[in-house]
C-alpha cells in the first residue's frame, strides 16, 4: 500500500479503474493519498450515495472528492497547463496534503431532539444561594443538628415496626416483644407478645421511663 | 507547503438546507442554526459543527432561521404560515406567531426584544417579544413576496428584499426611505453592522452597497449564478456560492478570485462567515452543511495543523503529533479523515 503511492504515471490509469470495484473503505484511504479517483462524476456521486446508505461517515469520500475538486480548481486556475489533466494532478500530488482533522462533526443521535441538560450550556436556573458557614449563628447550627438527629430517630422507630425488640428495664430486667407503635411524645411503646419472666403478654404498653435501653436487628 | 482545504460536513438534514445563521460570540462559543425544507431546523456548535439539538414543531419547510446575539433564543420562519420563537438552550418552543402566508425571513433586534418577519404575504411585521399576544406592527409596500428582512443601523432602520427590489424603511415612522431596483431576481442579502455594508446577490453579481444610503460601493461578477454571499468581518475576503455547486473566495479589495472549492453535490443556497471570521459555513441542496476554513491549515475547531517533515519556515505553528516518517504521517492524515472507528494506529491500517 505504501509502495503504490510512488507508482509511476502509466499505472495510474489502471489504478483508477480498479478503484471503482474495490471495497469502499480502501477507496477512502487511496483517495486522499494518491488523488486518483473514479473515472467519472457519476461513479463518484454513486459512491457518496453508497456511503450514506451504509451509514458510514461521509467524510472520507467526500473529502477525497474535495481534494480532487480543489485540485481541479487549482489545475484550471493555473495558466499554461497544456498537458493532460491527469498528469497535472499527479504532478501536484507530492506538493499538497489535505488539512488533517481531529474528527468529523457529530451528527444528531436519532433518538432525541438534543439540547442535553448536561451539555455545554446547562439551563441557566437561578441558583439558591447557600448561606456561608461563618454567617450562620451557632443557634441555627445547633437547631439544624437537632432537627437532623430527631429525623434519624423517628426513622429508626419506623424501621422497628413489626420486629422483635429486646428491652433492658430497670434492675437488670430483660424482656422481648414485637414492637407496634409509640405515642406522640414517645412516652409509651405499644408492644405485642411481650415475653416477661412471669409469662407472655399478648398486648402491652411499656412506659418509656421504665426502659433503660432497647435494641433490635433490622 | 500549500495545504488542501478539508471541509467538515455536518450531516443530519434530509432535505435541502436553505438558510443558515450564526449567533454572536458568547461565553460558550458561537452557534449555528440551519433551516431546512424537512421542517426541522438544527442548532449546532459553531466552531466544530457538532449537533446540539433540533427544534421540533414546524409542520412545513423552514425557510428562514436566525439566532439572537447571545444564542439564547432562536427564531424560524416556515411554510406552515407561522414563525416560531424558541429557547435555544432547552429547545422548547416559546411562541408561535401566525401569519397569512408562507413566512420566509426572521430577524431579532440587538436586544432581542423585537422580531421582524417577512414572507409571501408581502408584509413586514414587527412583533414585541415581551407582549406576544399583542398585534404586530405591519409595514406594507412590497409588491412581491419578501425574501429577506433585516434590522440595520442599530435597529433604527429595516432593510427588506423582495424579488426585484431592496427597500430601506425607517423603524420609528414605518415609512419607506429609499429603494433599489434590479432587473434580475435578488437571491440574498447580508448586512455587516461594522461599516454599514449591505451585500446583495442577484444573477451572477455580488454587489456591495451602503446600508445607510443604499449607494453602490462595488460589485463583482462570478462565473455562475450566485445564490448567497458573505463578507468576512474584517472585510478582507468574501465567499459566494451558487448554482454550479462551487464556493468562490474573492479578495474584497481587488476583486480577484482567490480560490474555488467543489464539494457540495447540489446548488449552494446560503453561505455565511462565522462571527470571528475563522470559518464559513455553506448550506446546499444536497442537505448538508459544510464548514470551510478561512485560513487553510490553521489549527482551529476540529482542524489540526500538522507540520510537514521539511519545515518551510513560514509555518510557525507548534507540532501537535509526531509521526515517524512522511509515509506514516500521510497514513495518519488519511485515517484522520476517516471515521474514528477505523483509525487507531497507522500500523493497524497497513
Amino acid at each position: 500500500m505504501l509502495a503504490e503511492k510512488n507508482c509511476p504515471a502509466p499505472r495510474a490509469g489502471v489504478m483508477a479503474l480498479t478503484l471503482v470495484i474495490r471495497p469502499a473503505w480502501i477507496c477512502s484511504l487511496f483517495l486522499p493519498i494518491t488523488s486518483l479517483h473514479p473515472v467519472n462524476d457519476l461513479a463518484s456521486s454513486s459512491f457518496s450515495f453508497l456511503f450514506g446508505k451504509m451509514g458510514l461517515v461521509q467524510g472520507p469520500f467526500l473529502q477525497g472528492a474535495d481534494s480532487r475538486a480543489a485540485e481541479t480548481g487549482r489545475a484550471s486556475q493555473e495558466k499554461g497547463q497544456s498537458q493532460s489533466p491527469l498528469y497535472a494532478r499527479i504532478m501536484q500530488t507530492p506538493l499538497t496534503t489535505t488539512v488533517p482533522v481531529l474528527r468529523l462533526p457529530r451528527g444528531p443521535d436519532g433518538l432525541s431532539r438534543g439540547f442535553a441538560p448536561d451539555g455545554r450550556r446547562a439551563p441557566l436556573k437561578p441558583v439558591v444561594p447557600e448561606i456561608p458557614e461563618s454567617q450562620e449563628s451557632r443557634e441555627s447550627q445547633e437547631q439544624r443538628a437537632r432537627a437532623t438527629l430527631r429525623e434519624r430517630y423517628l426513622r429508626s422507630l419506623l424501621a422497628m415496626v413489626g420486629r422483635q425488640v429486646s428491652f433492658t428495664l430497670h434492675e437488670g430486667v430483660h424482656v422481648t416483644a414485637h414492637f407496634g407503635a409509640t405515642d406522640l411524645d414517645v412516652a409509651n411503646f405499644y408492644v405485642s407478645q411481650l415475653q416477661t419472666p412471669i409469662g407472655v403478654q399478648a398486648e402491652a404498653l411499656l412506659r418509656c421511663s421504665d426502659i433503660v435501653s432497647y435494641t433490635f436487628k433490622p | 507547503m500549500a495545504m488542501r482545504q478539508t471541509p467538515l460536513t455536518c450531516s443530519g438534514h434530509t432535505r435541502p438546507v436553505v438558510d443558515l445563521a450564526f449567533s454572536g460570540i458568547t461565553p460558550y462559543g458561537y452557534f449555528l442554526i440551519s433551516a431546512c425544507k424537512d421542517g426541522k431546523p438544527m442548532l449546532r456548535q459553531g466552531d466544530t459543527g457538532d449537533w446540539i439539538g433540533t427544534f421540533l414543531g414546524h409542520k412545513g419547510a423552514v425557510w428562514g432561521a436566525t439566532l439572537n446575539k447571545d444564542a439564547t433564543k432562536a427564531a424560524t420562519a416556515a411554510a406552515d404560515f407561522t414563525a416560531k420563537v424558541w429557547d435555544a438552550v432547552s429547545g422548547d418552543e416559546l411562541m408561535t406567531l401566525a401569519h397569512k402566508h408562507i413566512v420566509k425571513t426572521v430577524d431579532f433586534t440587538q436586544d432581542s426584544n423585537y422580531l421582524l418577519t417577512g414572507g409571501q404575504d408581502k408584509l413586514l411585521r414587527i412583533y414585541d417579544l415581551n407582549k406576544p399576544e399583542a398585534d404586530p406592527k405591519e409595514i406594507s409596500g412590497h409588491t412581491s413576496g419578501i425574501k429577506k428582512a433585516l434590522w440595520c443601523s442599530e435597529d433604527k432602520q429595516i432593510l427588506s428584499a423582495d424579488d426585484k427590489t431592496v427597500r430601506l424603511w425607517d423603524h420609528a415612522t414605518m415609512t419607506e426611505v429609499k429603494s433599489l431596483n434590479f432587473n434580475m431576481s435578488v437571491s440574498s442579502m447580508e448586512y455587516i453592522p461594522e461599516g454599514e455594508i449591505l451585500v446583495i446577490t442577484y444573477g451572477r453579481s455580488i454587489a456591495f452597497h451602503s446600508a445607510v444610503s443604499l449607494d453602490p460601493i462595488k460589485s463583482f461578477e462570478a462565473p455562475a449564478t450566485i445564490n448567497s454571499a458573505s463578507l468576512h468581518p474584517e472585510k478582507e475576503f468574501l465567499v459566494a456560492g451558487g448554482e454550479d455547486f462551487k464556493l468562490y473566495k474573492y479578495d474584497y479589495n481587488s476583486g480577484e478570485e482567490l480560490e474555488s472549492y467543489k464539494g457540495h453535490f447540489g446548488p449552494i443556497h446560503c453561505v455565511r462567515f462565522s462571527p470571528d471570521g475563522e470559518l464559513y459555513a455553506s448550506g446546499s441542496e444536497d442537505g448538508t452543511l459544510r464548514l470551510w476554513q478561512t485560513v487553510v491549515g490553521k489549527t482551529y475547531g476540529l482542524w489540526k495543523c500538522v507540520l510537514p517533515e521539511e519545515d518551510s519556515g513560514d509555518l510557525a505553528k507548534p507540532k501537535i503529533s509526531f509521526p515517524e516518517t512522511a509515509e506514516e504521517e500521510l497514513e495518519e492524515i488519511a485515517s484522520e479523515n476517516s471515521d474514528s472507528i477505523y483509525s487507531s494506529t497507522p500500523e493497524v491500517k497497513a
Side-chain angles (χ1 to χ4, degrees):
Chain A
M1 195 157 85
L2 296 175
E4 284 171 4
K5 282 207 301 284
N6 303 322
C7 68
R11 285 181 54 197
V14 175
M15 273 194 64
L17 286 172
T18 56
L19 276 171
V20 178
I21 54 171
R22 279 191 192 200
W25 68 270
I26 298 181
C27 288
S28 72
L29 296 173
F30 278 1
L31 291 167
I33 295 170
T34 63
S35 82
L36 290 170
H37 307 278
V39 181
N40 53 28
D41 284 352
L42 190 59
S44 65
S45 52
S46 67
F47 263 121
S48 71
F49 183 72
L50 184 65
F51 264 79
K53 283 286 179 196
M54 286 164 69
L56 289 173
V57 174
Q58 300 165 15
F61 184 79
L62 293 176
Q63 279 149 19
D66 300 335
S67 55
R68 160 182 69 100
E71 278 203 325
T72 313
R74 277 212 189 74
S76 63
Q77 280 171 23
E78 280 187 23
K79 318 261 188 293
Q81 274 286 353
S82 54
Q83 291 122 339
S84 73
L86 189 62
Y87 180 69
R89 265 181 256 156
I90 294 161
M91 288 312 292
Q92 284 169 8
T93 305
L95 302 173
T96 59
T97 55
T98 45
V99 179
V101 290
L102 297 168
R103 57 168 173 83
L104 290 170
R106 287 184 210 113
D109 59 7
L111 301 167
S112 70
R113 68 168 189 183
F115 301 101
D118 56 347
R120 285 168 84 152
R121 289 196 301 172
L124 298 167
K125 286 202 272 270
V127 176
V128 175
E130 293 275 9
I131 303 167
E133 284 289 332
S134 54
Q135 283 183 20
E136 216 178 19
S137 66
R138 283 192 59 193
E139 279 173 10
S140 48
Q141 272 180 320
E142 197 177 330
Q143 183 65 29
R144 277 204 286 128
R146 284 183 191 280
T148 312
L149 287 170
R150 179 156 175 88
E151 190 182 323
R152 278 167 64 177
Y153 180 67
L154 291 172
R155 288 192 193 279
S156 76
L157 287 176
L158 277 173
M160 230 163 47
V161 170
R163 302 250 198 266
Q164 184 87 357
V165 183
S166 40
F167 298 92
T168 306
L169 307 174
H170 284 292
E171 303 187 5
V173 177
H174 294 271
V175 293
T176 57
H178 287 286
F179 182 78
T182 174
D183 63 359
L184 182 64
D185 305 321
V186 197
N188 296 294
F189 280 169
Y190 165 72
V191 295
S192 54
Q193 303 304 316
L194 177 69
Q195 308 200 344
T196 72
I198 51 166
V200 177
Q201 286 286 348
E203 319 281 347
L205 214 61
L206 284 173
R207 275 190 309 209
C208 282
S209 50
D210 294 339
I211 301 172
V212 173
S213 70
Y214 63 88
T215 177
F216 76 103
K217 280 200 177 53
Chain B
M1 179 158 110
M3 297 208 84
R4 282 206 303 258
Q5 169 92 263
T6 308
L8 296 170
T9 305
C10 307
S11 56
H13 285 302
T14 53
R15 299 280 322 277
V17 176
V18 290
D19 194 21
L20 62 91
F22 281 97
S23 71
I25 298 179
T26 77
Y28 303 96
Y30 56 90
F31 299 85
L32 168 60
I33 187 171
S34 51
C36 180
K37 284 190 185 174
D38 63 7
K40 301 193 180 72
M42 290 187 181
L43 185 72
R44 294 177 185 272
Q45 194 68 37
D47 56 344
T48 58
D50 289 335
W51 173 80
I52 295 175
T54 306
F55 298 104
L56 298 173
H58 273 300
K59 296 189 185 70
V62 177
W63 287 100
T66 188
L67 290 166
N68 67 350
K69 203 156 139 196
D70 55 3
T72 50
K73 288 212 183 93
T76 52
D80 58 4
F81 295 19
T82 65
K84 286 185 195 272
V85 180
W86 312 79
D87 179 337
V89 179
S90 65
D92 296 329
E93 188 183 313
L94 292 174
M95 53 185 95
T96 300
L97 308 166
H99 290 64
K100 304 245 168 34
H101 209 306
I102 295 171
V103 194
K104 281 282 189 88
T105 172
V106 273
D107 196 27
F108 283 104
T109 49
Q110 295 283 330
D111 54 11
S112 307
N113 281 331
Y114 293 93
L115 185 74
L116 175 67
T117 69
Q120 299 286 73
D121 59 359
K122 307 177 195 149
L123 291 171
L124 288 163
R125 287 197 167 93
I126 300 167
Y127 287 87
D128 184 341
L129 295 177
N130 302 314
K131 297 188 220 124
E133 322 79 36
D135 283 331
K137 291 196 280 189
E138 289 178 7
I139 301 177
S140 57
H142 275 285
T143 52
S144 60
I146 295 166
K147 292 184 177 181
K148 194 83 183 172
L150 298 167
W151 294 102
C152 64
S153 307
E154 289 162 8
D155 306 333
K156 293 203 207 62
Q157 290 183 315
I158 294 165
L159 278 163
S160 58
D162 65 11
D163 197 39
K164 296 271 172 50
T165 68
V166 170
R167 296 172 200 238
L168 183 65
W169 311 81
D170 181 72
H171 179 196
T173 60
M174 315 261 287
T175 54
E176 188 179 310
V177 172
K178 202 164 175 200
S179 79
L180 284 173
N181 289 306
F182 299 93
N183 47 11
M184 272 181 285
S185 181
V186 175
S187 43
S188 83
M189 201 163 71
E190 189 196 29
Y191 168 65
I192 315 285
E194 303 85 19
E196 297 287 335
I197 297 177
L198 186 61
V199 184
I200 305 173
T201 58
Y202 55 96
R204 301 200 299 178
S205 306
I206 308 159
F208 299 89
H209 290 251
S210 156
V212 174
S213 61
L214 292 189
D215 292 333
I217 300 172
K218 60 172 83 179
S219 88
F220 306 131
E221 285 284 306
T225 305
I226 293 295
N227 290 332
S228 176
S230 181
L231 183 61
H232 188 269
E234 263 131 63
K235 303 179 194 45
E236 291 165 14
F237 323 100
L238 69 120
V239 286
E243 292 292 319
D244 65 350
F245 309 4
K246 279 160 94 164
L247 220 69
Y248 295 95
K249 185 174 173 189
Y250 291 86
D251 179 287
Y252 178 61
N253 298 312
S254 67
E256 179 198 341
E257 185 187 306
L258 297 170
E259 294 282 1
S260 70
Y261 299 112
K262 275 209 289 202
H264 276 295
F265 293 97
I268 294 166
H269 289 304
C270 44
V271 171
R272 282 288 177 269
F273 265 104
S274 63
D276 61 0
E278 296 284 352
L279 58 82
Y280 46 99
S282 58
S284 162
E285 184 81 11
D286 64 9
T288 63
L289 261 104
R290 284 177 188 237
L291 302 178
W292 310 78
Q293 283 187 291
T294 305
V295 176
V296 179
K298 192 172 172 182
T299 296
Y300 182 83
L302 296 176
W303 291 286
K304 165 177 101 167
C305 171
V306 173
L307 283 180
E309 281 304 291
E310 45 282 333
D311 197 353
S312 61
D314 40 330
L315 287 171
K317 301 275 182 327
K319 211 166 180 176
I320 296 164
S321 73
F322 291 86
E324 293 302 289
T325 66
E327 283 151 331
E328 272 190 39
E329 180 190 334
L330 286 172
E331 287 233 37
E332 198 173 288
I333 290 165
S335 68
E336 295 283 286
N337 284 342
S338 31
D339 197 340
S340 54
I341 56 171
Y342 289 141
S343 70
S344 46
T345 59
E347 294 76 48
V348 173
K349 298 203 74 55

